[in-house]
Amino acid sequence: MLTQTAKRAAGRKAAPSDVDAAIPLEAKLQPTQARAQDTYEVVLATAGEMLRDIGFEQLTTNAICQKAGLTPPALYRYFPNKYAILKELGDRLMAAQDDAVIAWIGAGGLEGATVDERLAKSLAMHREIIEITLRFPGGAAIGRALRAIPMLQRLRFESRDMVADRFYDAVRPRYPTVAETRLRVAMRMMVELSYAATEMVVEEPDRDADSLNHEVCLLFALYFESFA
Amino acid sequence: MLTQTAKRAAGRKAAPSDVDAAIPLEAKLQPTQARAQDTYEVVLATAGEMLRDIGFEQLTTNAICQKAGLTPPALYRYFPNKYAILKELGDRLMAAQDDAVIAWIGAGGLEGATVDERLAKSLAMHREIIEITLRFPGGAAIGRALRAIPMLQRLRFESRDMVADRFYDAVRPRYPTVAETRLRVAMRMMVELSYAATEMVVEEPDRDADSLNHEVCLLFALYFESFA
DNA sequence: TGTACATCAGTGAACGCGCGTTCACTGATGTAC
DNA sequence: TGTACATCAGTGAACGCGCGTTCACTGATGTAC
């Protein structure tokens, strides 16, 4: 059973921009039978947990198989190597976050009569993203892997740039005097720093998580005011 | 020949907070003779370059030795494993950055009569940090490793928290009405997001580097205004 | 509705490679008198 | 100032382990008639 997010991530796999990678990252076969689907999912779920527990450097395909109760050839039926597994996890996490942000923009998250109102909305969104990441098995570790592994960096950049474009589209009409280049750069910076803020909270969730969220949202709210 | 930064990094090594790590990260022996000092440094320099070229996952001690023109036992004389090398590189990069920021605060970087003046000062500092990172062999890759490798994360957190404390000390008298807890959280957030902004620029140095710097500094300048 | 066959899914066992690491040793440098 | 000795620095060669990966195979599921 695929979730909406998983389906979307699967859809991304065919993107031709990945074929130039030296190491293949795409799934070899898509599972067709229900049993195979389970295997595919259990590999990902197990990898996520192990990523959280031991980090992606210690993560090995053999260890995933052992913990998942599979033999290596079963894993290799679907994934050419461990990076393909990380890529799929990364795709799904990014997609889950992106979907939430895009839905939030679509629901008027950026609109609000007063600064306080806009601040409250963005705070709710930040909390939601953190919630999504914490609930995702190995979410924090996947975030780290997306930054650290060169072949996954592109994924992160593409996700960020796409979200930044949506922000641009949403705020463009509101600040007609700001130059396009500047507004685009500003949105890209804001999205990147929002990611960083999310990671900061999920890496140390017991350290002033909500105060941090609050300050981050205030930071951006004041910045947005300056465009008006 | 040790630079100031290197000396300071070496001084940190004795910190007792590291002894509880399962994998030893401390240098086994400090080189005494000049020839040994060269070996120590060439290992670090080579590791930095390779980190930049292939990433820390592909980095192996054997490969470092081969590229550096050494045999493995020479490396193992000083470093117990590859993480110790990464830790030393991380120590040095963090120290170089921290030194610059602390010097900047000490020279009145946070002071200025107008917003524009303060903005110009912080812009100069951000540019300097980026310059330091780009000039450091494998600087961007070391930054990634500091985020991604669990045993190096602490290093990054300690550096960030220390710098945040310095910021706190510097701005505390200026904003007497702001609660201590809040001001500390705010400074920690600001330093973390500054790191993220630096990494954003060094990862994609050709993409609007200076515009990004400018927006980041504006972002923080406006935020600081709100405390007054 | 049952049977035969094709395809899908997963197993058991092992492979070669290269990784981190070490042993026994030689050569270089420093120092005491 | 030279010699003897101690210590420091680095080498050559190899080790065992576990990693990613594959081969030949069995069992499960789906489908045509």
Side-chain angles (χ1 to χ4, degrees):
Chain A
M1 174 187 53
L2 279 174
T3 60
Q4 279 305 107
T5 298
K7 274 183 195 151
R8 176 171 158 190
R12 285 189 180 181
K13 276 210 227 71
S17 60
D18 289 309
V19 294
D20 57 340
I23 297 176
L25 294 178
E26 304 312 325
K28 292 162 139 178
L29 286 173
Q30 284 302 315
T32 59
Q33 301 179 2
R35 183 169 63 134
Q37 189 61 254
D38 287 349
T39 300
Y40 191 86
E41 294 301 322
V42 84
V43 166
L44 291 172
T46 308
E49 285 168 37
M50 296 186 76
L51 215 48
R52 181 192 55 210
D53 298 338
I54 61 174
F56 67 87
E57 268 211 300
Q58 325 297 333
L59 188 70
T60 67
T61 49
N62 283 357
I64 294 169
C65 291
Q66 195 176 354
K67 191 166 185 211
L70 293 168
T71 55
L75 183 153
Y76 280 94
R77 187 174 172 84
Y78 307 108
F79 301 100
N81 50 59
K82 83 166 172 178
Y83 296 103
I85 300 171
L86 289 173
K87 178 178 183 296
E88 180 63 26
L89 287 171
D91 264 330
R92 291 188 180 191
L93 177 59
M94 293 280 98
Q97 292 179 344
D98 294 353
D99 288 353
V101 173
I102 288 166
W104 176 84
I105 294 174
L110 282 159
E111 290 148 36
T114 66
V115 178
D116 279 352
E117 196 182 328
R118 292 193 288 271
L119 207 147
K121 281 189 179 181
S122 76
L123 188 56
M125 194 262 273
H126 272 82
R127 285 178 179 147
E128 188 188 350
I129 299 293
I130 286 164
E131 175 85 20
I132 287 170
T133 308
L134 289 175
R135 215 166 28 209
F136 202 102
I142 294 166
R144 263 177 254 146
L146 284 167
R147 278 190 182 269
I149 300 176
M151 61 183 38
L152 297 186
Q153 255 190 327
R154 203 193 310 172
L155 217 71
R156 214 183 79 86
F157 292 158
E158 281 169 5
S159 164
R160 180 200 63 201
D161 293 349
M162 187 270 286
V163 173
D165 286 346
R166 294 291 178 288
F167 269 93
Y168 176 84
D169 295 342
V171 302
R172 173 70 286 182
R174 199 183 317 163
Y175 309 125
T177 60
V178 182
E180 167 166 356
T181 317
R182 188 186 163 213
L183 196 56
R184 287 201 184 274
V185 166
M187 292 304 109
R188 186 148 53 90
M189 178 207 69
M190 188 210 59
V191 173
E192 174 74 39
L193 296 197
S194 293
Y195 282 17
T198 299
E199 284 169 42
M200 183 183 190
V201 171
V202 300
E203 292 289 1
E204 301 176 291
D206 299 328
R207 265 187 96 184
D208 311 295
D210 217 54
S211 304
L212 281 168
N213 270 338
H214 199 275
E215 293 302 325
V216 169
C217 291
L218 177 61
L219 177 77
F220 291 131
L222 294 167
Y223 179 64
F224 269 63
E225 291 306 295
S226 78
F227 289 121
Chain B
M1 174 185 54
L2 280 174
T3 61
Q4 279 305 108
T5 298
K7 275 183 193 149
R8 175 171 158 193
R12 285 189 180 182
K13 278 208 223 75
S17 60
D18 289 311
V19 294
D20 57 341
I23 297 177
L25 294 178
E26 306 311 324
K28 291 162 141 178
L29 288 172
Q30 283 302 314
T32 60
Q33 302 179 1
R35 184 170 60 132
Q37 188 61 252
D38 287 349
T39 300
Y40 191 86
E41 293 301 321
V42 84
V43 166
L44 290 172
T46 307
E49 286 169 36
M50 296 186 77
L51 215 47
R52 181 192 54 210
D53 297 338
I54 60 174
F56 68 87
E57 267 210 301
Q58 326 296 333
L59 188 70
T60 68
T61 50
N62 284 357
I64 295 170
C65 292
Q66 194 178 353
K67 191 167 186 209
L70 295 167
T71 54
L75 182 152
Y76 279 94
R77 188 174 172 83
Y78 307 107
F79 301 99
N81 50 61
K82 83 166 174 178
Y83 297 104
I85 300 172
L86 289 173
K87 178 179 183 297
E88 180 63 24
L89 286 172
D91 265 331
R92 291 190 180 190
L93 178 59
M94 293 278 98
Q97 292 179 343
D98 295 353
D99 288 353
V101 173
I102 288 165
W104 176 84
I105 294 175
L110 282 160
E111 289 148 37
T114 65
V115 178
D116 279 352
E117 198 181 327
R118 292 194 289 272
L119 206 147
K121 283 188 178 181
S122 76
L123 187 55
M125 194 263 273
H126 271 83
R127 284 179 180 147
E128 189 189 349
I129 299 292
I130 286 164
E131 176 85 20
I132 287 170
T133 308
L134 289 175
R135 217 166 27 213
F136 202 102
I142 294 167
R144 263 175 255 147
L146 284 166
R147 278 189 182 269
I149 300 176
M151 60 182 38
L152 298 186
Q153 256 190 326
R154 204 194 310 173
L155 217 70
R156 214 182 78 87
F157 292 158
E158 282 168 6
S159 165
R160 180 199 63 200
D161 292 349
M162 188 269 286
V163 174
D165 286 346
R166 295 291 176 289
F167 269 93
Y168 175 83
D169 295 342
V171 302
R172 172 73 285 182
R174 198 183 315 162
Y175 310 124
T177 59
V178 181
E180 169 167 354
T181 317
R182 188 184 163 213
L183 195 56
R184 287 202 184 275
V185 165
M187 292 303 110
R188 185 148 53 89
M189 177 207 70
M190 190 210 58
V191 173
E192 174 74 38
L193 296 196
S194 293
Y195 282 16
T198 299
E199 285 169 41
M200 184 184 189
V201 171
V202 301
E203 291 289 2
E204 300 176 292
D206 300 329
R207 266 187 95 182
D208 311 295
D210 218 54
S211 304
L212 280 167
N213 270 337
H214 200 276
E215 294 301 326
V216 169
C217 291
L218 177 61
L219 176 76
F220 292 131
L222 294 168
Y223 178 63
F224 269 63
E225 291 306 296
S226 78
F227 289 121

